[in-house]
Amino acid sequence: MISKSKRKDDRHDARTLSRLARIDPELLGPVRHRSAQAQIHLTVIRARAELVSARTALVNAVRGLVKSYGQRLPKCGTQQVNRELAAGLHAELREVLEPLLKEVESLNERIQEYDGRMEKIAKESYPHVELLKQVKGVGTQIALTYVLTLDDPHRFPKSREVGCFLGLCPGRRDSGESQPQMHISKEGDPYLRTMLVQGAHYILGPFGEDRDLRRWGLTLAARGGKNGKKRAVVAVARKLAVLLHRLWVSGEVYEPLRNSHQAMRAVA
């Protein structure tokens, strides 16, 4: 009513909000602010993310420039990129690219410093991060980002609501008997959503350990058709968000095969 209105000014918007509050306060969602400490700690994570993005752009630029000369740099992760990789290139090309590779080395050092700061923050200020790290595939970065973004776990009456809060649930546009399948809403914090999707990729990948969540995701991927793997990754990310909230609130010890063991006991 406000953002799409063609008659928009502060006085008119305030009047509209007051009328909505008078009719039904639940039409308006309260804004919850993070604590100052949580905000500064979250800034550390976001600053690191910017450095990672800059490093990726530089590495891609270097590889593209080398490829235009009919050569390739050795395959390796971005954290292993350094000036030694250019040893096999032509002398002139190596001289041109050396400053870029030097910047990549500097970024690697800065990123490692931020990694150390995140570990220190998690250990000193957020001991419950260890509860979330019980899930293999969830490291300090994902767990700390999750804790700092949600800030207060008790703001959600049910753990299932976290998936919707982070935009991992499908949108709805039902009308009568029409129930079209929608994409996820992508509301909430995009960086945390990306982190959870990365965790889901690990859980479903070749290095993921056997657990209920992995079994469920692989079953979903097998029956999903052409885009089954993509849908399974998003579904596992949503389940992961719910699981982490449950562990955070309850303080329980994580049992990877809890549902499978219960099913076996029921059959026996």
Side-chain angles (χ1 to χ4, degrees):
M1 294 178 66
I2 294 178
S3 62
K4 295 185 179 181
S5 175
K6 294 183 179 180
R7 183 188 172 193
K8 193 174 188 314
D9 60 68
D10 292 343
R11 186 180 297 275
H12 184 266
D13 294 347
R15 188 179 294 112
T16 302
L17 289 172
S18 64
R19 287 174 175 171
L20 289 171
R22 184 176 60 184
I23 296 171
D24 186 356
E26 292 188 4
L27 292 173
L28 303 173
V31 177
R32 299 180 65 96
H33 296 282
R34 296 187 188 93
S35 63
Q37 183 186 41
Q39 186 64 30
I40 192 64
H41 289 164
L42 190 59
T43 302
V44 173
I45 296 176
R46 289 175 174 171
R48 179 191 181 279
E50 292 297 329
L51 290 181
V52 171
S53 179
R55 180 181 65 180
T56 301
L58 282 177
V59 171
N60 290 340
V62 171
R63 290 190 180 277
L65 292 171
V66 172
K67 193 174 180 180
S68 66
Y69 280 83
Q71 295 182 282
R72 290 179 182 271
L73 290 178
K75 291 184 178 181
C76 65
T78 52
Q79 62 272 18
Q80 281 87 40
V81 174
N82 52 46
R83 283 171 285 182
E84 295 180 1
L85 291 179
L89 302 178
H90 297 306
E92 294 180 352
L93 181 59
R94 184 170 63 251
E95 182 181 356
V96 172
L97 297 180
E98 185 172 356
L100 293 180
L101 293 173
K102 186 177 180 180
E103 288 300 321
V104 174
E105 292 179 352
S106 177
L107 287 173
N108 282 332
E109 294 177 0
R110 302 290 85 75
I111 291 171
Q112 289 179 2
E113 292 176 2
Y114 274 115
D115 289 339
R117 291 182 66 176
M118 286 195 302
E119 293 288 347
K120 184 178 179 180
I121 290 172
K123 184 177 180 180
E124 295 181 352
S125 303
Y126 306 95
H128 39 273
V129 165
E130 294 298 323
L131 293 172
L132 279 58
K133 290 172 64 176
Q134 294 180 92
V135 184
K136 190 174 181 181
V138 176
T140 301
Q141 183 179 357
I142 296 179
L144 186 59
T145 303
Y146 187 93
V147 168
L148 292 174
T149 302
L150 270 59
D151 196 26
D152 179 13
H154 301 291
R155 61 190 292 193
F156 303 99
K158 297 181 180 179
S159 297
R160 289 180 177 272
E161 295 182 4
V162 180
C164 297
F165 174 75
L166 296 177
L168 290 167
C169 293
R172 289 189 298 178
R173 196 178 290 273
D174 297 355
S175 178
E177 297 182 358
S178 175
Q179 296 180 342
Q181 187 175 17
M182 306 289 291
H183 296 291
I184 59 174
S185 64
K186 293 187 178 181
E187 297 176 349
D189 189 84
Y191 184 72
L192 177 55
R193 186 167 56 251
T194 300
M195 291 290 97
L196 291 172
V197 169
Q198 289 183 6
H201 274 291
Y202 180 90
I203 290 172
L204 295 177
F207 302 106
E209 66 176 9
D210 185 26
R211 67 184 84 174
D212 292 330
L213 189 56
R214 175 180 170 86
R215 293 181 181 183
W216 178 80
L218 292 177
T219 301
L220 190 63
R223 71 185 186 194
K226 182 178 180 181
N227 295 321
K229 181 63 181 298
K230 294 180 180 179
R231 293 175 180 172
V233 167
V234 174
V236 170
R238 181 171 62 252
K239 288 269 191 180
L240 181 60
V242 175
L243 172 62
L244 294 180
H245 182 268
R246 182 61 185 172
L247 292 175
W248 186 4
V249 172
S250 66
E252 297 177 2
V253 175
Y254 176 56
E255 300 178 41
L257 295 172
R258 179 178 181 177
N259 294 336
S260 299
H261 292 162
Q262 289 179 351
M264 292 176 63
R265 285 195 294 267
V267 172

